[in-house]
Amino acid sequence: MHLLNLGILAHVDAGKTSLTERLLHSAGVIDEIGSVDAGNTRTDSLALERQRGITIKSAVVSFALDDVRVNLIDTPGHPDFIAEVERVLGVLDGAVLVVSAVEGVQPQTRVLMRTLQRLRIPTLVFVNKIDRRGARYDAVLRAVAERLTAAVVPMGTTDALGTRAARFVPGLAPSALDVLADHDDDLLAAYVEDTVAPDDLRGALAAQTRQALVHPVYFGSAVTGAGVEALIDGIKELLPGADGDPEGPVCGTVFKVERGAAGEKVAYARMFSGTLRTRDRIPFGAAGDARVEGRVTAISVFDQGTDIRDDLVAAGRIAKLWGLADVRIGDAIGEPRKAYGHFFAPPTLETIVDPADGTDRRALHRALTRLAEQDPLIDLRHDEVRQETFVSLYGEVQKEVIQATLADDFGLDVTFRETTPLCVERPVGSGAAVEFNKKDGNPFLATVGLRVDPAPVGSGVEFRLEVELGSMPYAFFKAVEDTVRETLGQGLRGWQIPDCTVTMTHSGYSPRQSHAHQGFDKSMSSTGYDFRGLTPLVLIEALRRAGTRVHEPMHRFRVEAPTDTLAALLPVLARLRAVPQTTRTRGDSCSLEGSVPAAHVHELEQHLPGLTRGEGELESAFDHYAPAARGAEPERRRTDMNPLSRKEYLLNLTRRVGG
């Protein structure tokens, strides 16, 4: 029996969870198919998921299809929870992308397919809801080919489309040979000579699907079961099994972290190599970070619809691991496999959490920290002076879910302030500053000189030295570098500075001082505190001299709408500062593509139905940062000790040290 780690992905409401239920029923794991509307599905186990009828957290369930053991991962469809999908993609062997036969290809479908193709994950397409009124075959197949991928292979036709009796009739269409021959010279030669055998065609289909060169398309209904058996055959025959050597070095990736009944961390990990056993001590951590060791105290593996305790987990399988108290999402277990990358853009919105009267602020902070453990892209910033916590978001639905989770799981009543875009700052030019030990009112026993230079977008922060590494203890250089990176989290206007080069141009310290028959005199000797305290003042002054410009997040957008609504749509786009760059008209419909500030995407979503008689469709995703309008550059409230004001900074630092 070979293993297959399979992801089910879709735009929200395409029927992804219903298909999961049907697959579990077909495999004999459940006796009765659950309903999203009734809130009794197997994978949507959270109370909030059952209430809202949407998937919020990924869930793993295992079942057998003849000689294939499938670990199926049901993922959220709503774009606000794209981070949950991101964590799953790196552990998949194959995927099923669900498309609605009624709504067709939707915005999130395109985002997902682009990512699946970029990662070369073998993918089957299942067009669901053929039993619904308005279901289409030719139009949806054409949309899949035009908007998702041209390399589609229809695996059959439909009968009685749009009725309860709708069924899927398996059989490769003649066009399959054209698609497959594009990627196989031998098949192309046989095609020209008219000597292609059915087995050759099926073999080429399996080989090219496993290489993610082509994508078989099935039609069916998760509700009635039509087409599901054909899809199951495709899963068994066309998708590759999990590889990995159980005798090799232990190597795995953590893609989900949750808390157990006793509050302990439980890590979901895909094993790529080796065998991990209970009581093993194992290193873990993010690539490039300092790694820690932990002892695995318990293991659960997935089998026949549930997870069961086991003494070990071998390569290819997914398991729940206990005992790794400091584990985080994206950590490598054992031998690092590769750096954990982000496939989707980070959140571009932020809000402030307002606790209701009587709400324990410490309990709120603990609860938000736990939520951030489960979703690292929920970045938390805490303002100690005003006792406020900032949370980054993908959208308004995510805000509502966080609010409900805090109420249901932690008993905390909160509201949120208005959502604002997350901007960044970029240096305009170069700037340098220096403060010398014991001169010009420098209260720290340290000399620090820094120069800030612009750097290309996406290059990150680079710290360089123009002083001799041996000119002072290494710990002091490390204190400066760490403080530089921390300080760049809030630039002159409070926004993060993600890309720049910072060069240390001056250094100096007071050596250890001691008196006869006495110990070390801290008051006369430099410590790490001096360098950590002085660095923000020097860096902010260098930034002042360089100057910075605020850049706001911009989304690329695509609007599909009836052509006769264009006159009403364009003025609203202009008011929202959306800039259409291309306009295409095809019959009665038109397509506009361009850029729009992230701050106005939600408003555009709200206006679009009314402007387009409910027929408009919006697809948007973060694309880049663009300079904010001069004179209207937004500022972000600071949560540090405010090195912009020397007097306030030193006072805050004294209070913190004194406290």
Side-chain angles (χ1 to χ4, degrees):
M1 178 173 282
H2 75 264
L3 290 167
L4 169 64
N5 295 298
L6 179 70
I8 304 285
L9 300 93
H11 186 99
V12 66
D13 288 337
K16 170 179 45 62
T17 300
S18 298
L19 178 59
T20 299
E21 290 290 306
R22 174 60 67 176
L23 290 171
L24 292 175
H25 183 265
S26 298
V29 172
I30 56 177
D31 297 326
E32 185 178 346
I33 295 175
S35 164
V36 173
D37 293 335
N40 59 353
T41 58
R42 188 62 171 265
T43 52
D44 285 348
S45 57
L46 297 178
L48 193 57
E49 292 177 315
R50 297 180 187 278
Q51 292 166 14
R52 289 178 167 263
I54 61 172
T55 302
I56 297 170
K57 295 292 181 185
S58 59
V60 182
V61 63
S62 181
F63 55 90
L65 298 176
D66 296 333
D67 63 342
V68 180
R69 178 188 286 126
V70 177
N71 284 328
L72 188 147
I73 309 178
D74 185 19
T75 61
H78 198 285
D80 280 14
F81 307 104
I82 197 68
E84 194 72 23
V85 179
E86 172 179 274
R87 294 187 278 276
V88 169
L89 292 177
V91 304
L92 297 181
D93 303 307
V96 174
L97 182 64
V98 184
V99 178
S100 168
V102 179
E103 287 84 8
V105 173
Q106 295 170 280
Q108 187 74 347
T109 323
R110 286 165 55 89
V111 172
L112 292 168
M113 189 57 160
R114 280 198 297 264
T115 307
L116 289 166
Q117 290 178 309
R118 186 165 68 247
L119 298 176
R120 300 192 67 79
I121 296 174
T123 303
L124 309 181
V125 178
F126 183 73
V127 181
N128 190 28
K129 302 185 181 181
I130 65 169
D131 59 318
R132 297 281 186 90
R133 181 181 299 177
R136 300 161 296 155
Y137 179 87
D138 290 333
V140 172
L141 196 57
R142 186 167 57 251
V144 169
E146 291 176 354
R147 301 182 63 187
L148 297 183
T149 171
V152 295
V153 179
M155 299 301 291
T157 57
T158 58
D159 187 39
L161 194 65
T163 71
R164 192 73 177 178
R167 64 191 185 98
F168 180 66
V169 184
L172 280 176
S175 61
L177 187 53
D178 296 332
V179 176
L180 294 170
D182 283 345
H183 305 285
D184 188 327
D185 291 341
D186 292 337
L187 189 64
L188 179 60
Y191 179 26
V192 172
E193 296 168 5
D194 198 22
T195 59
V196 178
D199 287 349
D200 295 338
L201 199 60
R202 197 78 188 182
L205 176 63
Q208 293 186 31
T209 301
R210 288 168 186 166
Q211 296 174 62
L213 296 174
V214 301
H215 303 283
V217 181
Y218 298 84
F219 281 71
S221 168
V223 172
T224 68
V228 174
E229 286 303 318
L231 176 65
I232 288 174
D233 289 340
I235 291 171
K236 292 187 298 185
E237 298 170 14
L238 303 178
L239 294 179
D243 56 6
D245 180 8
E247 303 301 322
V250 172
C251 170
T253 298
V254 175
F255 65 91
K256 178 177 178 176
V257 173
E258 64 183 17
R259 291 276 179 169
E264 77 282 15
K265 276 189 181 181
V266 183
Y268 286 67
R270 156 77 191 267
M271 301 305 298
F272 291 97
S273 172
T275 300
L276 185 62
R277 293 175 171 82
T278 306
R279 293 183 293 278
D280 279 356
R281 287 196 68 83
I282 194 76
F284 62 91
D289 290 353
R291 311 192 81 214
V292 296
E293 265 199 3
R295 186 185 299 278
V296 177
T297 58
I299 296 173
S300 281
V301 296
F302 293 91
D303 193 25
Q304 285 304 100
T306 187
D307 59 289
I308 56 175
R309 287 297 173 100
D310 204 334
D311 293 330
L312 57 85
V313 55
R317 300 200 73 172
I318 289 174
K320 293 165 69 173
L321 308 177
W322 280 260
L324 308 179
D326 298 318
V327 74
R328 297 173 299 177
I329 289 170
D331 278 357
I333 302 288
E335 294 287 326
R337 181 168 174 259
K338 61 179 179 180
Y340 180 76
H342 291 309
F343 311 127
F344 301 103
T348 55
L349 302 172
E350 185 179 61
T351 187
I352 297 175
V353 184
D354 269 342
D357 291 341
T359 299
D360 186 337
R361 290 180 180 270
R362 290 185 179 179
L364 174 60
H365 188 70
R366 286 195 299 270
L368 287 170
T369 301
R370 281 204 177 184
L371 293 182
E373 286 175 359
Q374 299 170 22
D375 186 350
L377 293 180
I378 296 180
D379 186 35
L380 299 180
R381 287 196 313 132
H382 188 64
D383 183 342
E384 292 186 5
V385 176
R386 300 176 181 84
Q387 288 296 298
E388 293 176 342
T389 301
F390 298 73
V391 179
S392 56
L393 300 166
Y394 277 101
E396 297 298 316
V397 172
Q398 187 182 14
K399 182 196 291 187
E400 295 168 13
V401 167
I402 292 173
Q403 182 180 29
T405 302
L406 290 172
D408 297 345
D409 295 356
F410 300 95
L412 300 171
D413 184 14
V414 303
T415 56
F416 292 91
R417 297 188 197 170
E418 182 183 2
T419 303
T420 56
L422 273 171
C423 301
V424 298
E425 286 183 57
R426 301 196 185 282
V428 175
S430 297
V434 60
E435 294 216 19
F436 293 97
N437 189 357
K438 302 176 183 176
K439 290 185 179 179
D440 302 322
N442 176 5
F444 302 100
L445 296 177
T447 293
V448 174
L450 298 171
R451 185 178 69 248
V452 176
D453 296 296
V457 174
S459 61
V461 174
E462 183 180 3
F463 183 77
R464 297 176 178 174
L465 295 178
E466 280 186 0
V467 294
E468 291 290 335
L469 188 58
S471 61
M472 64 181 187
Y474 173 74
F476 295 161
F477 286 111
K478 187 69 167 65
V480 172
E481 179 179 358
D482 290 347
T483 307
V484 162
R485 294 183 184 279
E486 181 182 346
T487 305
L488 289 173
Q490 299 182 66
L492 299 181
R493 292 177 178 81
W495 304 105
Q496 180 187 12
I497 300 177
D499 306 301
C500 69
T501 300
V502 179
T503 304
M504 190 168 185
T505 58
H506 297 75
S507 66
Y509 74 109
S510 296
R512 291 174 68 91
Q513 302 289 326
S514 62
H515 302 290
H517 313 297
Q518 295 181 12
F520 164 50
D521 188 346
K522 181 179 177 181
S523 66
M524 299 176 63
S525 309
S526 296
T527 65
Y529 162 81
D530 293 294
F531 288 90
R532 288 190 295 272
L534 180 59
T535 296
L537 291 173
V538 177
L539 181 58
I540 287 295
E541 183 58 32
L543 282 170
R544 271 201 184 101
R545 296 174 182 180
T548 65
R549 182 85 186 271
V550 176
H551 287 61
E552 63 180 336
M554 302 293 291
H555 281 222
R556 64 177 180 275
F557 76 87
R558 176 191 175 99
V559 171
E560 298 272 354
T563 304
D564 62 355
T565 65
L566 204 56
L569 186 58
L570 288 175
V572 175
L573 290 175
R575 181 173 61 80
L576 298 178
R577 293 170 49 216
V579 181
Q581 290 157 345
T582 61
T583 304
R584 298 184 182 89
T585 302
R586 187 171 58 243
D588 295 334
S589 68
C590 67
S591 168
L592 285 79
E593 295 186 30
S595 60
V596 58
H600 299 312
V601 170
H602 183 59
E603 191 176 350
L604 179 56
E605 288 174 343
Q606 291 178 315
H607 283 302
L608 191 63
L611 295 169
T612 60
R613 301 190 299 273
E615 299 177 47
E617 181 182 293
L618 172 66
E619 174 187 345
S620 75
F622 170 78
D623 188 58
H624 66 285
Y625 287 94
R630 287 202 178 276
E633 291 183 293
E635 296 204 3
R636 187 190 200 192
R637 190 183 299 168
R638 306 192 73 86
T639 56
D640 58 8
M641 290 182 286
N642 193 20
L644 289 173
S645 167
R646 188 183 187 90
K647 182 178 180 181
E648 182 182 342
Y649 173 79
L650 294 175
L651 183 61
N652 287 334
L653 188 65
T654 303
R655 285 172 177 166
R656 177 172 291 184
V657 173

